[in-house]
Amino acid sequence: LPIGAQHEAISLYGLYWRRLRFGPGYAAFVQEYAAREHWDTVQWQAWQRQQLQVVLTAAAQHAPYYHQTWNQAQQAAALAGQLTELPLLPKDPLRMAPQSFVRQDIHPRGVQVFHTSGSTGTPIAVYYTIPELRQSLALREVRSAGWAGTSFRRPRATFSGRMVEPDPASRGPFYRFNRAEKQVYFSAFHLRPDTAAAYVDALRKHRIEWLTGYAVSYFLLARLILDQGLSVPPLKAIITTSEKVTASMRQVMERAFGCRVYEEYSTVENAIFASECEQGRLHVSPDVAVVEILRPDGSACDPGEVGEVVVTSLARTYQPLIRFRLGDLAAWDTAPCPCGRAMPVIQEVVGRIEDVVIGPDGRQMVRFHGVFVNQPHIHEGQVIQEALDRIRLKVVTADGFSAADEADLIQRVQQRLGRTVQVVVEPVVSIPRSKAGKFRAVISYTSPAAVQEQIRSE
Ligand SMILES: [Zn+2]
């Protein structure tokens, strides 16, 4: 489609989304999230206990995976609401058979399916009922946009994994505008020194008030803005998602964009939600999930002790996730927050910093493992940038992997980086973990030292 028609098509899609977002129940969800913020610990615990009972019972009785894999003692524990008696859930079973986690006792209309590459490069299909989706959007309105002093009703710009502009050689525009949601979708794949000014112009042209999406993309744009002395229109806030924001990244973004950065920690599964309050602390929303931080032996970490984040979703009950291993590491901070909210605080989220992939023309990209999304014959994948013009994809293949899958992968990489990039697809038995036991979805040996250093400086 020509660019103009693309803006139209996206606006139509936006209209559909606006109806999904603001449809029946939305205003009530917003009110409920806002009211619960003022609860004390006792109220939160009572609410969680009750909701946990509902979710665990539904999982044990109606979701085939739990019904089949939990033994009798575990089924009984679930019915009694005893979460810690239940086994941890790795990503694999969910990736292999997402349908087997879906409840069989209800058949809601209009179920929405989202795919995620996850922070481990393992794609997962996530099923939302319409009320669950609307609830998750209301949650973001209150505790993400609201805490940052803005709203999803105000114009915003987004950096995400969306392939906004498919032509790697495009001369612009590097975004599409969704009129219905007053939203600019930026391409994360065209950001480089000679395009930075066009990104800033789009903010001015569409009177954007706040920014949201990939932290590293905004950080990279911020560096270009400062390097080139570009003038940025007034903005209310940047709400980052996806990657950890280090102190130095935050400083660079706040200087370049002239507004405060608020970090959000969430996942496509809506299996955890934490957002930054006015006092700069990351509060977990207890009405989204029960969050545990565990040692390798499964016991709970002490405050300040880094451990594995394990979540049980309370907000999404159609495809219940029970003691789901997110693959992130974090620590609790038990000091009370001056904002007065009794919602628990996460001190730090570690292990989500990804490497930046660089194109031969200097463009910088994050979350490049998006090339593995919706690849049914790939069990696990890792992107390794060996040189500016050479990418190696290590893949653990599933049954049915063929030359067509390989060609598709090569095409996806070249679509992002250009045709001159050599792509090597290497089937492997397994992908080695880092010293800390973490899976690294993207490894780059070519990122400029400055970028690497600034991202890693903490
Ligand atoms: Zn607070």
Short mmCIF file of all heavy atoms in Angstrom, two decimals, residues 369-425:
data_model
loop_
_atom_site.label_atom_id
_atom_site.label_comp_id
_atom_site.label_asym_id
_atom_site.label_seq_id
_atom_site.Cartn_x
_atom_site.Cartn_y
_atom_site.Cartn_z
N HIS A 369 15.70 -10.61 18.47
CA HIS A 369 15.23 -12.00 18.47
C HIS A 369 13.75 -12.09 18.07
O HIS A 369 13.20 -13.18 18.02
CB HIS A 369 15.46 -12.64 19.83
CG HIS A 369 14.87 -11.88 20.97
ND1 HIS A 369 15.46 -10.77 21.51
CD2 HIS A 369 13.71 -12.05 21.64
CE1 HIS A 369 14.70 -10.30 22.47
NE2 HIS A 369 13.64 -11.05 22.58
N GLY A 370 13.14 -10.94 17.77
CA GLY A 370 11.81 -10.93 17.16
C GLY A 370 11.75 -11.75 15.88
O GLY A 370 10.67 -12.16 15.45
N VAL A 371 12.90 -12.00 15.25
CA VAL A 371 12.89 -12.83 14.03
C VAL A 371 12.39 -14.25 14.31
O VAL A 371 12.00 -14.96 13.40
CB VAL A 371 14.28 -12.91 13.33
CG1 VAL A 371 14.72 -11.55 12.84
CG2 VAL A 371 15.34 -13.51 14.25
N PHE A 372 12.38 -14.64 15.59
CA PHE A 372 11.93 -16.00 15.92
C PHE A 372 10.44 -16.07 16.27
O PHE A 372 9.92 -17.14 16.54
CB PHE A 372 12.74 -16.55 17.11
CG PHE A 372 14.20 -16.69 16.82
CD1 PHE A 372 15.15 -16.02 17.59
CD2 PHE A 372 14.65 -17.48 15.77
CE1 PHE A 372 16.50 -16.15 17.32
CE2 PHE A 372 16.00 -17.62 15.49
CZ PHE A 372 16.93 -16.95 16.27
N VAL A 373 9.77 -14.93 16.28
CA VAL A 373 8.35 -14.93 16.63
C VAL A 373 7.55 -15.65 15.55
O VAL A 373 7.81 -15.46 14.36
CB VAL A 373 7.83 -13.49 16.83
CG1 VAL A 373 6.31 -13.47 16.95
CG2 VAL A 373 8.45 -12.87 18.06
N ASN A 374 6.60 -16.47 15.96
CA ASN A 374 5.75 -17.20 15.02
C ASN A 374 6.52 -18.15 14.12
O ASN A 374 6.22 -18.27 12.93
CB ASN A 374 4.97 -16.23 14.12
CG ASN A 374 3.65 -15.89 14.75
OD1 ASN A 374 3.09 -16.69 15.50
ND2 ASN A 374 3.16 -14.70 14.46
N GLN A 375 7.54 -18.78 14.65
CA GLN A 375 8.29 -19.80 13.90
C GLN A 375 8.01 -21.13 14.59
O GLN A 375 8.70 -21.50 15.53
CB GLN A 375 9.80 -19.49 13.93
CG GLN A 375 10.21 -18.19 13.24
CD GLN A 375 10.37 -18.35 11.74
OE1 GLN A 375 10.02 -19.39 11.18
NE2 GLN A 375 10.88 -17.35 11.07
N PRO A 376 6.99 -21.86 14.12
CA PRO A 376 6.55 -23.06 14.85
C PRO A 376 7.59 -24.18 14.90
O PRO A 376 7.52 -25.05 15.76
CB PRO A 376 5.30 -23.51 14.09
CG PRO A 376 5.41 -22.88 12.74
CD PRO A 376 6.19 -21.60 12.92
N HIS A 377 8.56 -24.16 13.99
CA HIS A 377 9.52 -25.27 13.95
C HIS A 377 10.83 -24.92 14.65
O HIS A 377 11.84 -25.58 14.46
CB HIS A 377 9.79 -25.69 12.50
CG HIS A 377 8.54 -26.10 11.78
ND1 HIS A 377 8.18 -25.60 10.55
CD2 HIS A 377 7.53 -26.91 12.16
CE1 HIS A 377 6.99 -26.11 10.20
NE2 HIS A 377 6.59 -26.90 11.17
N ILE A 378 10.80 -23.83 15.40
CA ILE A 378 12.00 -23.47 16.15
C ILE A 378 11.70 -23.52 17.63
O ILE A 378 10.79 -22.88 18.13
CB ILE A 378 12.52 -22.09 15.71
CG1 ILE A 378 12.99 -22.18 14.27
CG2 ILE A 378 13.65 -21.64 16.62
CD1 ILE A 378 13.41 -20.89 13.68
N HIS A 379 12.50 -24.33 18.29
CA HIS A 379 12.31 -24.58 19.70
C HIS A 379 12.93 -23.43 20.50
O HIS A 379 12.34 -22.92 21.45
CB HIS A 379 13.00 -25.90 20.00
CG HIS A 379 12.87 -26.36 21.39
ND1 HIS A 379 11.67 -26.72 21.94
CD2 HIS A 379 13.80 -26.48 22.37
CE1 HIS A 379 11.87 -27.06 23.20
NE2 HIS A 379 13.14 -26.91 23.48
N GLU A 380 14.12 -23.03 20.08
CA GLU A 380 14.84 -21.95 20.75
C GLU A 380 15.76 -21.31 19.74
O GLU A 380 16.28 -21.99 18.86
CB GLU A 380 15.71 -22.54 21.86
CG GLU A 380 15.44 -21.97 23.22
CD GLU A 380 16.24 -22.67 24.30
OE1 GLU A 380 17.39 -23.08 24.06
OE2 GLU A 380 15.69 -22.78 25.39
N GLY A 381 15.97 -20.02 19.86
CA GLY A 381 16.85 -19.37 18.90
C GLY A 381 17.71 -18.31 19.56
O GLY A 381 17.33 -17.73 20.57
N GLN A 382 18.86 -18.08 18.98
CA GLN A 382 19.77 -17.06 19.49
C GLN A 382 20.38 -16.33 18.29
O GLN A 382 20.75 -16.94 17.30
CB GLN A 382 20.88 -17.72 20.31
CG GLN A 382 21.83 -16.75 20.97
CD GLN A 382 22.86 -17.48 21.81
OE1 GLN A 382 23.52 -18.41 21.33
NE2 GLN A 382 23.00 -17.08 23.06
N VAL A 383 20.45 -15.01 18.41
CA VAL A 383 21.03 -14.18 17.35
C VAL A 383 22.44 -13.79 17.76
O VAL A 383 22.64 -13.26 18.85
CB VAL A 383 20.20 -12.88 17.16
CG1 VAL A 383 20.83 -12.01 16.08
CG2 VAL A 383 18.75 -13.21 16.85
N ILE A 384 23.41 -14.07 16.90
CA ILE A 384 24.78 -13.66 17.21
C ILE A 384 25.29 -12.78 16.07
O ILE A 384 25.32 -13.21 14.91
CB ILE A 384 25.71 -14.88 17.37
CG1 ILE A 384 25.18 -15.77 18.50
CG2 ILE A 384 27.14 -14.44 17.67
CD1 ILE A 384 25.89 -17.09 18.61
N GLN A 385 25.63 -11.55 16.41
CA GLN A 385 26.21 -10.68 15.38
C GLN A 385 27.72 -10.86 15.43
O GLN A 385 28.38 -10.45 16.38
CB GLN A 385 25.84 -9.22 15.60
CG GLN A 385 26.46 -8.34 14.52
CD GLN A 385 25.78 -7.01 14.34
OE1 GLN A 385 25.34 -6.38 15.30
NE2 GLN A 385 25.68 -6.57 13.10
N GLU A 386 28.25 -11.47 14.37
CA GLU A 386 29.69 -11.78 14.36
C GLU A 386 30.48 -10.66 13.71
O GLU A 386 31.66 -10.47 14.01
CB GLU A 386 29.93 -13.09 13.61
CG GLU A 386 29.27 -14.27 14.31
CD GLU A 386 29.47 -15.58 13.60
OE1 GLU A 386 29.61 -15.58 12.35
OE2 GLU A 386 29.48 -16.62 14.28
N ALA A 387 29.86 -9.95 12.79
CA ALA A 387 30.50 -8.82 12.12
C ALA A 387 29.38 -7.91 11.65
O ALA A 387 28.21 -8.29 11.70
CB ALA A 387 31.32 -9.31 10.92
N LEU A 388 29.72 -6.71 11.20
CA LEU A 388 28.68 -5.78 10.75
C LEU A 388 27.82 -6.40 9.66
O LEU A 388 26.65 -6.10 9.52
CB LEU A 388 29.32 -4.49 10.22
CG LEU A 388 29.58 -3.40 11.25
CD1 LEU A 388 30.12 -2.16 10.56
CD2 LEU A 388 28.32 -3.06 12.04
N ASP A 389 28.45 -7.29 8.85
CA ASP A 389 27.70 -7.86 7.73
C ASP A 389 27.50 -9.37 7.87
O ASP A 389 27.28 -10.05 6.89
CB ASP A 389 28.40 -7.53 6.40
CG ASP A 389 29.83 -8.03 6.37
OD1 ASP A 389 30.27 -8.63 7.40
OD2 ASP A 389 30.52 -7.83 5.37
N ARG A 390 27.60 -9.88 9.08
CA ARG A 390 27.36 -11.32 9.24
C ARG A 390 26.60 -11.61 10.54
O ARG A 390 27.04 -11.26 11.62
CB ARG A 390 28.66 -12.12 9.20
CG ARG A 390 28.38 -13.62 9.06
CD ARG A 390 29.64 -14.45 8.81
NE ARG A 390 30.55 -14.41 9.92
CZ ARG A 390 31.73 -13.79 9.90
NH1 ARG A 390 32.15 -13.16 8.82
NH2 ARG A 390 32.50 -13.81 10.97
N ILE A 391 25.45 -12.28 10.37
CA ILE A 391 24.61 -12.67 11.51
C ILE A 391 24.52 -14.18 11.54
O ILE A 391 24.25 -14.82 10.52
CB ILE A 391 23.17 -12.11 11.36
CG1 ILE A 391 23.16 -10.58 11.38
CG2 ILE A 391 22.23 -12.70 12.41
CD1 ILE A 391 23.32 -9.96 12.74
N ARG A 392 24.76 -14.76 12.69
CA ARG A 392 24.57 -16.20 12.85
C ARG A 392 23.33 -16.44 13.71
O ARG A 392 23.16 -15.80 14.74
CB ARG A 392 25.80 -16.82 13.52
CG ARG A 392 25.73 -18.33 13.70
CD ARG A 392 27.02 -18.88 14.32
NE ARG A 392 28.16 -18.66 13.44
CZ ARG A 392 28.53 -19.53 12.47
NH1 ARG A 392 27.87 -20.64 12.29
NH2 ARG A 392 29.57 -19.25 11.71
N LEU A 393 22.44 -17.30 13.23
CA LEU A 393 21.26 -17.66 14.02
C LEU A 393 21.45 -19.10 14.48
O LEU A 393 21.48 -20.02 13.66
CB LEU A 393 19.98 -17.56 13.18
CG LEU A 393 19.66 -16.19 12.55
CD1 LEU A 393 18.40 -16.29 11.71
CD2 LEU A 393 19.51 -15.13 13.62
N LYS A 394 21.59 -19.26 15.77
CA LYS A 394 21.65 -20.63 16.30
C LYS A 394 20.23 -21.06 16.60
O LYS A 394 19.50 -20.34 17.30
CB LYS A 394 22.47 -20.67 17.59
CG LYS A 394 23.97 -20.57 17.33
CD LYS A 394 24.75 -20.89 18.60
CE LYS A 394 26.24 -20.89 18.29
NZ LYS A 394 27.04 -21.12 19.50
N VAL A 395 19.83 -22.20 16.05
CA VAL A 395 18.45 -22.64 16.27
C VAL A 395 18.40 -24.08 16.75
O VAL A 395 19.09 -24.95 16.22
CB VAL A 395 17.57 -22.49 15.00
CG1 VAL A 395 17.30 -21.03 14.71
CG2 VAL A 395 18.19 -23.16 13.79
N VAL A 396 17.59 -24.29 17.78
CA VAL A 396 17.26 -25.65 18.20
C VAL A 396 15.93 -25.93 17.49
O VAL A 396 14.92 -25.30 17.79
CB VAL A 396 17.10 -25.74 19.72
CG1 VAL A 396 16.71 -27.15 20.14
CG2 VAL A 396 18.39 -25.31 20.42
N THR A 397 15.96 -26.84 16.51
CA THR A 397 14.79 -27.01 15.66
C THR A 397 13.81 -28.02 16.25
O THR A 397 14.20 -28.90 17.01
CB THR A 397 15.19 -27.48 14.25
OG1 THR A 397 15.90 -28.71 14.38
CG2 THR A 397 16.09 -26.46 13.58
N ALA A 398 12.55 -27.86 15.88
CA ALA A 398 11.52 -28.83 16.24
C ALA A 398 11.23 -29.68 15.01
O ALA A 398 11.69 -29.36 13.91
CB ALA A 398 10.27 -28.10 16.70
N ASP A 399 10.47 -30.76 15.18
CA ASP A 399 10.10 -31.61 14.03
C ASP A 399 9.45 -30.75 12.96
O ASP A 399 8.64 -29.88 13.27
CB ASP A 399 9.10 -32.69 14.47
CG ASP A 399 9.81 -33.78 15.26
OD1 ASP A 399 11.06 -33.81 15.24
OD2 ASP A 399 9.11 -34.58 15.91
N GLY A 400 9.82 -31.01 11.70
CA GLY A 400 9.17 -30.29 10.61
C GLY A 400 9.99 -29.11 10.10
O GLY A 400 9.62 -28.47 9.12
N PHE A 401 11.11 -28.80 10.76
CA PHE A 401 11.94 -27.69 10.30
C PHE A 401 12.49 -28.03 8.91
O PHE A 401 12.98 -29.12 8.67
CB PHE A 401 13.11 -27.48 11.27
CG PHE A 401 13.97 -26.29 10.93
CD1 PHE A 401 13.59 -25.02 11.29
CD2 PHE A 401 15.16 -26.46 10.22
CE1 PHE A 401 14.38 -23.91 10.97
CE2 PHE A 401 15.96 -25.37 9.89
CZ PHE A 401 15.56 -24.10 10.27
N SER A 402 12.38 -27.06 7.98
CA SER A 402 12.78 -27.35 6.60
C SER A 402 13.53 -26.16 6.01
O SER A 402 13.69 -25.12 6.66
CB SER A 402 11.54 -27.63 5.76
OG SER A 402 10.82 -26.42 5.60
N ALA A 403 13.91 -26.33 4.73
CA ALA A 403 14.62 -25.26 4.02
C ALA A 403 13.75 -24.00 3.95
O ALA A 403 14.27 -22.88 3.94
CB ALA A 403 14.99 -25.73 2.62
N ALA A 404 12.43 -24.19 3.92
CA ALA A 404 11.53 -23.03 3.85
C ALA A 404 11.64 -22.18 5.12
O ALA A 404 11.62 -20.95 5.07
CB ALA A 404 10.09 -23.50 3.64
N ASP A 405 11.76 -22.85 6.28
CA ASP A 405 11.90 -22.12 7.54
C ASP A 405 13.22 -21.35 7.55
O ASP A 405 13.28 -20.21 8.01
CB ASP A 405 11.88 -23.10 8.73
CG ASP A 405 10.54 -23.81 8.87
OD1 ASP A 405 9.53 -23.12 9.05
OD2 ASP A 405 10.51 -25.05 8.75
N GLU A 406 14.25 -22.00 7.02
CA GLU A 406 15.56 -21.36 6.98
C GLU A 406 15.51 -20.12 6.09
O GLU A 406 16.00 -19.05 6.47
CB GLU A 406 16.60 -22.36 6.46
CG GLU A 406 18.00 -21.84 6.55
CD GLU A 406 19.06 -22.89 6.15
OE1 GLU A 406 18.81 -24.10 6.39
OE2 GLU A 406 20.09 -22.50 5.62
N ALA A 407 14.88 -20.27 4.93
CA ALA A 407 14.78 -19.14 3.99
C ALA A 407 14.00 -17.99 4.62
O ALA A 407 14.34 -16.81 4.45
CB ALA A 407 14.10 -19.61 2.70
N ASP A 408 12.96 -18.32 5.38
CA ASP A 408 12.15 -17.30 6.04
C ASP A 408 12.96 -16.53 7.07
O ASP A 408 12.89 -15.30 7.15
CB ASP A 408 10.93 -17.98 6.69
CG ASP A 408 9.99 -16.95 7.29
OD1 ASP A 408 9.72 -15.93 6.63
OD2 ASP A 408 9.56 -17.14 8.44
N LEU A 409 13.79 -17.25 7.80
CA LEU A 409 14.65 -16.60 8.81
C LEU A 409 15.63 -15.63 8.13
O LEU A 409 15.81 -14.50 8.58
CB LEU A 409 15.45 -17.66 9.58
CG LEU A 409 14.73 -18.38 10.70
CD1 LEU A 409 15.61 -19.50 11.25
CD2 LEU A 409 14.34 -17.42 11.81
N ILE A 410 16.24 -16.11 7.05
CA ILE A 410 17.23 -15.29 6.34
C ILE A 410 16.55 -14.02 5.82
O ILE A 410 17.05 -12.91 5.96
CB ILE A 410 17.87 -16.09 5.18
CG1 ILE A 410 18.72 -17.22 5.78
CG2 ILE A 410 18.71 -15.20 4.28
CD1 ILE A 410 19.24 -18.22 4.78
N GLN A 411 15.34 -14.21 5.28
CA GLN A 411 14.60 -13.07 4.75
C GLN A 411 14.27 -12.06 5.85
O GLN A 411 14.38 -10.85 5.65
CB GLN A 411 13.34 -13.58 4.07
CG GLN A 411 12.78 -12.63 3.04
CD GLN A 411 11.39 -12.19 3.40
OE1 GLN A 411 10.66 -12.92 4.07
NE2 GLN A 411 11.01 -11.00 2.98
N ARG A 412 13.88 -12.56 7.02
CA ARG A 412 13.54 -11.66 8.12
C ARG A 412 14.75 -10.83 8.57
O ARG A 412 14.62 -9.65 8.88
CB ARG A 412 13.02 -12.46 9.33
CG ARG A 412 11.63 -13.01 9.13
CD ARG A 412 11.17 -13.69 10.39
NE ARG A 412 9.87 -14.33 10.22
CZ ARG A 412 9.01 -14.53 11.22
NH1 ARG A 412 9.32 -14.16 12.44
NH2 ARG A 412 7.86 -15.12 11.00
N VAL A 413 15.91 -11.47 8.62
CA VAL A 413 17.11 -10.73 9.03
C VAL A 413 17.45 -9.68 7.99
O VAL A 413 17.72 -8.52 8.31
CB VAL A 413 18.30 -11.69 9.25
CG1 VAL A 413 19.58 -10.90 9.50
CG2 VAL A 413 18.02 -12.63 10.42
N GLN A 414 17.40 -10.09 6.71
CA GLN A 414 17.78 -9.15 5.65
C GLN A 414 16.79 -8.01 5.52
O GLN A 414 17.14 -6.89 5.15
CB GLN A 414 17.96 -9.91 4.33
CG GLN A 414 19.20 -10.81 4.38
CD GLN A 414 19.49 -11.51 3.08
OE1 GLN A 414 18.59 -11.71 2.26
NE2 GLN A 414 20.74 -11.89 2.88
N GLN A 415 15.53 -8.29 5.85
CA GLN A 415 14.52 -7.23 5.82
C GLN A 415 14.86 -6.14 6.84
O GLN A 415 14.60 -4.97 6.63
CB GLN A 415 13.16 -7.84 6.13
CG GLN A 415 12.00 -6.96 5.76
CD GLN A 415 10.68 -7.66 5.97
OE1 GLN A 415 10.52 -8.48 6.87
NE2 GLN A 415 9.71 -7.34 5.14
N ARG A 416 15.45 -6.56 7.95
CA ARG A 416 15.79 -5.59 9.00
C ARG A 416 17.13 -4.91 8.76
O ARG A 416 17.31 -3.75 9.11
CB ARG A 416 15.82 -6.30 10.35
CG ARG A 416 14.43 -6.66 10.88
CD ARG A 416 14.52 -7.70 11.99
NE ARG A 416 13.27 -7.87 12.74
CZ ARG A 416 12.23 -8.57 12.32
NH1 ARG A 416 12.26 -9.17 11.13
NH2 ARG A 416 11.14 -8.68 13.06
N LEU A 417 18.09 -5.65 8.18
CA LEU A 417 19.46 -5.14 8.10
C LEU A 417 19.93 -4.83 6.69
O LEU A 417 20.98 -4.22 6.51
CB LEU A 417 20.43 -6.16 8.71
CG LEU A 417 20.32 -6.35 10.22
CD1 LEU A 417 21.24 -7.48 10.67
CD2 LEU A 417 20.68 -5.08 10.96
N GLY A 418 19.17 -5.27 5.68
CA GLY A 418 19.59 -5.05 4.30
C GLY A 418 20.11 -6.33 3.67
O GLY A 418 20.50 -7.27 4.36
N ARG A 419 20.09 -6.33 2.32
CA ARG A 419 20.42 -7.57 1.57
C ARG A 419 21.89 -7.93 1.63
O ARG A 419 22.27 -9.04 1.28
CB ARG A 419 20.02 -7.42 0.09
CG ARG A 419 18.57 -7.07 -0.14
CD ARG A 419 17.69 -8.30 -0.06
NE ARG A 419 16.35 -7.88 0.35
CZ ARG A 419 15.48 -8.62 1.02
NH1 ARG A 419 15.78 -9.86 1.33
NH2 ARG A 419 14.30 -8.16 1.36
N THR A 420 22.75 -6.97 2.02
CA THR A 420 24.19 -7.26 1.97
C THR A 420 24.64 -8.09 3.16
O THR A 420 25.78 -8.53 3.21
CB THR A 420 25.00 -5.94 1.96
OG1 THR A 420 24.64 -5.20 3.14
CG2 THR A 420 24.68 -5.11 0.73
N VAL A 421 23.74 -8.30 4.10
CA VAL A 421 24.13 -9.03 5.30
C VAL A 421 24.08 -10.54 5.04
O VAL A 421 23.11 -11.06 4.52
CB VAL A 421 23.20 -8.67 6.47
CG1 VAL A 421 23.40 -9.61 7.64
CG2 VAL A 421 23.46 -7.24 6.90
N GLN A 422 25.17 -11.19 5.39
CA GLN A 422 25.23 -12.64 5.24
C GLN A 422 24.59 -13.27 6.48
O GLN A 422 24.88 -12.87 7.60
CB GLN A 422 26.70 -13.05 5.12
CG GLN A 422 26.90 -14.53 4.86
CD GLN A 422 28.31 -14.97 5.24
OE1 GLN A 422 29.20 -14.16 5.48
NE2 GLN A 422 28.50 -16.29 5.29
N VAL A 423 23.69 -14.24 6.25
CA VAL A 423 23.00 -14.86 7.38
C VAL A 423 23.31 -16.35 7.40
O VAL A 423 23.13 -17.05 6.41
CB VAL A 423 21.46 -14.68 7.27
CG1 VAL A 423 20.77 -15.23 8.51
CG2 VAL A 423 21.11 -13.21 7.05
N VAL A 424 23.84 -16.82 8.50
CA VAL A 424 24.15 -18.23 8.65
C VAL A 424 23.15 -18.83 9.65
O VAL A 424 23.05 -18.37 10.78
CB VAL A 424 25.58 -18.43 9.21
CG1 VAL A 424 25.92 -19.91 9.31
CG2 VAL A 424 26.58 -17.68 8.35
N VAL A 425 22.38 -19.83 9.19
CA VAL A 425 21.45 -20.50 10.11
C VAL A 425 22.11 -21.80 10.55
O VAL A 425 22.42 -22.66 9.72
CB VAL A 425 20.09 -20.78 9.43
CG1 VAL A 425 19.17 -21.53 10.38
CG2 VAL A 425 19.45 -19.47 8.97
#
